[in-house]
Amino acid sequence: MTRVLFFLLLVGTALGLTAQTADLPLNHSVYHYVDRIDIQGLTGRTIHTDIKPYGRRDLSEIFRDVDTQGMSPRDLAWFELVRNLADDEIQQTQERTGFRQHLYPNRRDLFTVQTDDFRLYVNPVLHLFAGQDVTSGTNTPSNSIYRNTRGLRIRGDLFRKVGFYTEVSENQVKYPHFVDQYADELGILWGENFVKDFDANTPNPGYDYFNARGYITYSPVKQLRIKLGKDRAFWGNGRQSMLLSDHATDYFFLNLNTRIWKLQYVNTFALMTDFLENKPDSYGTYPRKYGVFHQLFYQPTNWLSVGAFESVIYAPNLPGGRRGFEAEYLNPIIFYRSVEQSLGSPDNSSMGVTWKANFMQRFQFYGQLALDDFNFRVRDQGSGFAGNKYGYQLGLKYINAFWIPRLDLQLEYNRIRPYTYSHFNPAGNYAHFGQPLAHPLGGNLYEFNFVARYQPFPRWNGFLALTALQRGLDMNGQNMGGDIFQPYTSAPNDFGNVVGQGDAFNMTMVQGRVSYQILRLHSFLELEARYRSQPGFNSVSVLGGFRFNIAPTPIRF
């Protein structure tokens, strides 16, 4: 690896490349601001918003091209605050001497070193929240909930060619009752891997876990960006993703992002885990599984983007025995479905399309179609074939809604047929570490989302989200198609399958958050409230606190 990096550095130096930096963490507030820039057409060029996270170098180019003429004083102040959080190319140094010159010299990062060949940014990570959850209909009527996250984030670049990022954090968390219920269902805490319980025998269990992620980035040529390490991604423009989401915990991957002309081509080769609940240490490592994903985008104009998606989840362990590593999946420019069929169709392949269209400088229509499997030959035998597995998303964003500045609305509808994302080999399901890679609740559901964001003043943010969902659960011990960890071959009926079949699970959730940004830092004082209604109980939780250099923890299930 050292020799490879040294060779890449020599090549990059010879080519005289521009700076390469780390990514902006997912769920950062800057992502929504880039959506606004994209919809309003403020840069006069194409902005690739479908693949997240964004590289900070790309964000620097976006902000540099923004036309600030005509912005109101409040909009301009908001733009400057957002740009300061994401753009490493703007310099706002303070005149200091000695060691103090490295402490907040750019009014953003705690400790900074900037030379011609080396840039380093070091920041603490804090997420300190506390509150109360009141749940009716259970034996846990009132619980204390909190989050105590402390960590460190280090990023930077070498010779303006190689970017690096690492983050570590120690966490103790107590969630509302519905999160505990979901953790019991999966056998693992959503978004995490190894978790230790505390107060496990009480009505209000807690979770203690250590989290670490890190990666390097490099561009051997301007059109290609390489990322290698442990992280997660989100592909799409919606609140949910039908293709690849960030709900599952981090995984190790190699990502190739190529941009030429009006095309963007993204490849990800991932090493994942087939989670085994309650695995004893003497068993050894968790079984491995592999994921390959690619997506090709074509943007003929600044307001339109269409894309084609393909993926394969490959598990070495099959019901008939174990096989070796399939090197054919490493080919970055081939149809994976063709490869999978040539191997005897042992793996979980899927395809999809994605689109977005901006219009009137106020609206964005977006969507996705995920096609897990579809058999045209059985259409004369009846409707609702269990092997026809697909899901789709339709969404609309409306910025400066009803001519109210900085009020942004979003509507989204998601529908997923039974047995989508599952496979005849349970190890080959569309999941990593026991957590779905697309919608967090798997398949056999339909969902409506409404989101409102309002920024009355540059430092004040309001957020409101409403989710209404119906999901079909297993009934009488039969696989009704919502649990992607069961083989779809266990479906009780070949035909007559409809979305929502089985034991109906109807859920409504309302979330609200008010934030105040402190100084020019990525630090916020926040007050958050949540109401959730589902079979068996209703839950109301209120909490408040402080977060520093960390994005909000989304609950989207």
Side-chain angles (χ1 to χ4, degrees), residues 172-339:
Q172 290 81 39
V173 185
K174 283 197 174 185
Y175 284 111
H177 177 67
F178 70 88
V179 179
D180 299 332
Q181 186 184 59
Y182 187 54
D184 289 339
E185 178 183 332
L186 286 180
I188 189 68
L189 182 63
W190 66 280
E192 304 301 335
N193 45 64
F194 179 72
V195 175
K196 295 180 291 185
D197 297 339
F198 62 91
D199 294 339
N201 297 323
T202 68
N204 187 207
Y207 307 94
D208 187 338
Y209 57 92
F210 183 80
N211 188 292
R213 62 171 60 97
Y215 55 83
I216 58 173
T217 62
Y218 186 73
S219 291
V221 293
K222 181 179 179 181
Q223 294 79 9
L224 173 64
R225 184 176 192 257
I226 302 172
K227 178 179 178 181
L228 175 69
K230 186 179 182 183
D231 200 5
R232 65 186 80 178
F234 187 95
W235 289 12
N237 289 290
R239 183 166 170 81
Q240 304 283 12
S241 175
M242 301 290 100
L243 307 179
L244 183 64
S245 75
D246 59 340
H247 297 291
T249 187
D250 307 307
Y251 43 87
F252 185 78
F253 64 85
L254 170 67
N255 176 264
L256 310 176
N257 195 333
T258 307
R259 295 179 182 176
I260 299 176
W261 186 54
K262 298 180 179 181
L263 300 175
Q264 180 183 18
Y265 186 48
V266 184
N267 292 269
T268 296
F269 308 91
L271 174 62
M272 296 182 171
T273 299
D274 181 22
F275 175 68
L276 299 179
E277 188 175 359
N278 299 320
K279 180 193 72 66
D281 292 342
S282 58
Y283 186 87
T285 61
Y286 288 107
R288 292 298 191 184
K289 59 193 293 186
Y290 305 91
V292 287
F293 314 87
H294 62 191
Q295 193 162 190
L296 175 65
F297 295 98
Y298 173 55
Q299 297 190 275
T301 70
N302 293 341
W303 59 269
L304 178 64
S305 172
V306 293
F309 167 86
E310 198 176 20
S311 72
V312 170
I313 300 295
Y314 152 51
N317 297 312
L318 291 170
R322 182 177 175 83
R323 60 180 181 172
F325 180 77
E326 299 292 356
E328 288 191 61
Y329 288 134
L330 296 179
N331 189 336
I333 47 174
I334 198 170
F335 285 105
Y336 292 144
R337 179 57 174 162
S338 175
V339 174

